[in-house]
Amino acid sequence: MEAKWLEDFVALADTRSFSRAAELRHITQPAFSRRIQALEAWVGTDLVDRAVYPTRLTSAGETFRAEAIDMLARLDETRAMLRGMRPASREIIDFAVPHTLSLTFFPSWLSRIQAGGAAPAFSTRLQALNVHDAAMSLVQGGSDLAMVYWNPRLPVQLDPRHYDMLVLGTETVYPYARRTADGRPEYALDGKNDRPTPYLGYTPNAYLGRIAELILSEAKPRPALEQRYETDMAEALKVMVLAGHGVAFLPDSAVRNDLAAQRLACAGEAYTQTMEIRLYREHPAGGGGKPVVNALWAYLNAQQAGDV
């Protein structure tokens, strides 16, 4: 049993709607339904009455709802207690960062900050998560700062009354394939193929997968694809692309070096979306907050204003 199944179930119990609960949990409705079914299999009984509409919990579901809320509260209390037992350092900043950004954008961004000379001295502790869980880590107190992708069609929604935000840059997503000796992509999304193009995709809960699906859904006509592989990490997809297994949608930071080395080629310039890279923190009410986080945030604000 996974804690996220409990969070899914509580969201369903609150909204009484699979589609609305899936939206709040930032996953597709089929994936959300599978997680509820997995929870029911673990519990050993139906928690949702699927014979009626709108959605209603069974009597067992109503009982389990209170238990799920209690279990989640106790997990949060236990985590807070254990974090309190860990040797504390006010100079450590905890980051929650999506897997792809943790491997591509984050290291160079951190190097630029530390090379500037005017930034506060600090050490980092990084959690590599998906976009949704990175945001949840910030909300639940598991991190000081969350770095996430953001697109107006697929926004990460953190209340601006409670969370401060900075835009650190942008990432553009295109389809890529292995580059051939004559400089062309091995596979292309140009509508000229007689057979479906081998496609390397993301798992349904991956934010980049939802960006890729947004690109494909807006394509006229939608290219014919044959999915050959699925993972939640862009770096893993890139390895498969470099091995010649097909086309994958990848962000700028993941492919920059491979494009320069002429190992990859864009497989369709018309198939694209741009995302912002955003940094969030909880607003330090009443002058509180971790001092080193406040100092870094002030430095980043001044940097964007051109004062440093």
Side-chain angles (χ1 to χ4, degrees):
M1 197 273 289
E2 300 182 33
K4 63 185 177 184
W5 296 352
L6 298 178
E7 294 168 347
D8 292 341
F9 177 71
V10 170
L12 178 60
D14 289 344
T15 62
R16 304 294 168 132
S17 165
F18 274 86
S19 59
R20 178 58 180 152
E23 181 182 351
L24 291 173
R25 297 289 291 154
H26 298 285
I27 61 173
T28 64
Q29 186 171 332
F32 182 86
S33 297
R34 287 194 295 270
R35 286 181 6 185
I36 295 297
Q37 290 168 358
L39 177 62
E40 290 177 315
W42 182 84
V43 172
T45 188
D46 290 339
L47 301 175
V48 180
D49 186 349
R50 293 174 173 81
V52 298
Y53 183 85
T55 301
R56 186 173 66 192
L57 301 183
T58 63
S59 57
E62 292 289 357
T63 300
F64 188 71
R65 176 186 185 182
E67 294 298 324
I69 292 172
D70 184 58
M71 281 189 280
L72 288 170
R74 280 185 281 133
L75 281 172
D76 284 342
E77 290 171 2
T78 301
R79 182 181 62 179
M81 177 187 69
L82 294 176
R83 286 175 63 86
M85 293 170 62
R86 185 175 62 194
S89 171
R90 301 297 281 177
E91 306 308 313
I92 294 178
I93 298 179
D94 287 288
F95 286 85
V97 183
H99 294 98
T100 298
L101 289 175
S102 73
L103 296 171
T104 57
F105 179 84
F106 183 84
S108 57
W109 173 77
L110 186 62
S111 294
R112 290 194 299 272
I113 290 174
Q114 294 174 336
F122 63 94
S123 298
T124 60
R125 188 159 41 216
L126 186 144
Q127 303 174 67
L129 307 163
N130 62 38
V131 170
H132 170 266
D133 289 346
M136 288 302 298
S137 176
L138 178 65
V139 171
Q140 295 175 348
S143 60
D144 300 310
L145 298 172
M147 183 181 292
V148 300
Y149 287 126
W150 187 93
N151 178 281
R153 301 283 298 279
L154 297 170
V156 174
Q157 296 177 329
L158 289 171
D159 192 335
R161 294 174 298 177
H162 304 297
Y163 297 94
D164 298 328
M165 185 274 294
L166 291 170
V167 177
L168 303 180
T170 60
E171 286 252 71
T172 304
V173 175
Y174 286 100
Y176 291 94
R178 185 168 64 179
R179 181 186 172 112
T180 62
D182 60 3
R184 294 183 297 177
E186 190 169 357
Y187 303 99
L189 303 183
D190 55 12
K192 299 178 182 179
N193 297 329
D194 296 330
R195 293 181 296 177
T197 302
Y199 180 60
L200 313 174
Y202 296 91
T203 52
N205 64 335
Y207 187 86
L208 288 174
R210 298 175 68 195
I211 290 290
E213 182 55 36
L214 176 61
I215 294 170
L216 291 170
S217 68
E218 294 182 341
K220 305 297 182 188
R222 182 177 177 129
L225 303 173
E226 180 185 357
Q227 186 148 336
R228 299 276 185 87
Y229 181 73
E230 183 178 276
T231 183
D232 60 354
M233 294 183 63
E235 287 294 312
L237 283 183
K238 185 180 74 172
V239 171
M240 294 293 285
V241 172
L242 289 169
H245 290 284
V247 171
F249 285 94
L250 300 168
D252 291 334
S253 61
V255 301
R256 189 170 293 118
N257 292 338
D258 297 282
L259 290 174
Q262 299 186 349
R263 291 189 289 263
L264 291 178
C266 183
E269 294 186 355
Y271 303 90
T272 184
Q273 281 284 331
T274 297
M275 307 170 294
E276 291 181 349
I277 300 172
R278 291 187 169 192
L279 190 68
Y280 286 93
R281 71 160 180 175
E282 186 174 8
H283 184 70
K290 187 183 288 188
V292 68
V293 174
N294 294 340
L296 175 60
W297 199 266
Y299 168 80
L300 293 173
N301 265 316
Q303 187 182 52
Q304 292 198 354
D307 296 334
V308 295

